[in-house]
Amino acid sequence: MEKGASEADPSRGRNGFVGVLYGEFSDVLNDRVRYSVSLTESALTIQRISSSPGRTKVVFNLADCIGCRAHRAPDAADVGAYFTAYFYPFKRRWMSAGVARQRVEQCFRVALVQEPLANLQEAERWARAIRDASALQAPRRDGVVYAELRRPCRVLILVNPHSGRGQALQLFSAHVQTMLTEAGVPYTLVITEHQNHARELARKADLSQWDALVIMSGDGLLFEVINGLMEREDWQQAIQVPLGILPGGSGNALAASIHHYSQSPPAWNEELLLSCGFMLCKGLVGSLDLVSVQLASRQRLYSFLSLAWGFVADVDIESEKYRHVGPIRFLMGTLVRLASLRVYQGRLAYLPVRDARRPPKAGRRSDPEPPEGGARTRTPAPAPAAPLLPALDQPVPDSWTVVREQEFVLVLAVYQSHLAEDLWTAPGAAADDGLIHLFYVTAGVSRPALLRLFLAMEKGGHLACGCPHLVYERVRALRLEPVTPQGMITVDGEVVEYGPVQAQIHPGLARLICG
């Protein structure tokens, strides 16, 4: 007969997890194989009970645990009950070097007595204790202040079935759905049907129903959601709803950046999806800077990733025709554009960090609960102030740096570390550093030199290439004035009105599910 707990039932009190559990349980496939299991505030330790010396002990860090559930056996004649814990520790890859998060399931049979209900209650006690302890052990970075999603967290997930290679829905079903079930996260799935569908939903939804909005797509769908939230009358509350990203597109820049910020080893494809799904299940929330972008038509957009003109914008849009091949589309687009390299005449000005007062962080509530009564009529709040930006038809202040009118190959302002899964564009960037990382490349750069820059960007080494045509500045605001009559400007990978444009950082305006 199994031994029960030797200590008091652990609970989550004011000071967190209290107590230790110990028990002896059977293997789910073989009753003759038994394990001693002990739970502390930070680990689950499992050891096979054997008369042989040198028993194998396995220790699972609760920071890697996303959930635990208790359940009855499928066989009604089985009086035992079970509890299953789900871990995603870093393990060595099967076919390549390095480590990545991989799923590990640990299941035990509880048969203390011949009474099925009593056994189920004991299994539930263990499952609850493991969940409570693991909730307090989410991986945190030193010096970063986090909020936590409410538990159970109600999540609205928006999936673009056409993003990337058109596999986002299949990836969700194969990977994310299982993780959310294991973590006990209830969710509602909405499949977007047309362009700007997510924007309309974010603008009109009753956000009191949700604790988080999660995007399963490329970066374009999150651009829609953020701008939909900022178009609401109650935008100040709406933009505080935590946002999550699950990579399902071609570029997946924000997903790659969040993974990088978590200080995890590099990951791509399904491994990156697993990492972002893990962070969603752990439920830590941090700050996210947004950038307001003003166009010549006076339209104002909100950006979380990038503003691009020239080579990068051309590659992003022109490579759409290669979408079916996945992330390699950007390499194909780069090679095609290099073959007929364009230059663009224009003017650039920016407010460098050394001369800029950092705009204050947006006001923040003490908890991540969404606004109540999203459908109520209320007085519209004014848009976020942009005190660093003069009117577009006015000259920039003397404190700005003005780059003389000349020919550019590209101008790129980015506010995350990655521009794609394999483009580590701003190695020093953080989601809430209050900075725009400005890069520009002037005319005269050779095709081989430009190619070397982008190849070096895979490992963040482009700034060490010594290219005299590449300039990098950390800024708070910028203005771009194209002179060449034709070209493309993109914001977060989406084409916007071509013409003069300026932008300013808004530190901590939004919130992001991260690790």
Side-chain angles (χ1 to χ4, degrees), residues 60 136 145 195 197 276 300:
F60 288 95
L136 300 176
V145 178
Q195 188 175 12
H197 186 189
C276 291
R300 194 173 182 190

Side-chain angles (χ1 to χ4, degrees), residues 42 81 139 164 214 260 349 365 380 386 413 426 443 460 463 480 495:
S42 61
V214 176
H260 171 71
R365 298 172 300 166
L463 293 175
L480 171 65
V495 178

Side-chain angles (χ1 to χ4, degrees), residues 101-181:
R101 289 200 181 275
Q102 298 179 35
R103 181 179 183 274
V104 177
E105 176 182 313
Q106 291 293 316
C107 183
F108 301 96
R109 182 175 183 269
V110 181
L112 295 173
V113 294
Q114 293 301 307
E115 173 54 47
L117 180 58
N119 292 327
L120 181 60
Q121 289 173 340
E122 178 67 6
E124 288 175 341
R125 188 167 77 104
W126 272 84
R128 183 170 57 253
I130 292 172
R131 288 195 302 268
D132 287 350
S134 63
L136 300 176
Q137 293 295 323
R140 288 171 164 84
R141 287 173 285 149
D142 292 340
V144 179
V145 178
Y146 298 98
E148 293 184 21
L149 292 176
R150 182 169 60 183
R151 296 179 183 276
C153 172
R154 304 161 301 167
V155 176
L156 177 63
I157 301 178
L158 303 177
V159 177
N160 178 2
H162 305 296
S163 63
R165 289 180 288 179
Q167 297 179 329
L169 195 55
Q170 295 93 313
L171 289 170
F172 176 84
S173 300
H175 299 283
V176 182
Q177 190 173 27
T178 300
M179 298 183 77
L180 294 174
T181 300

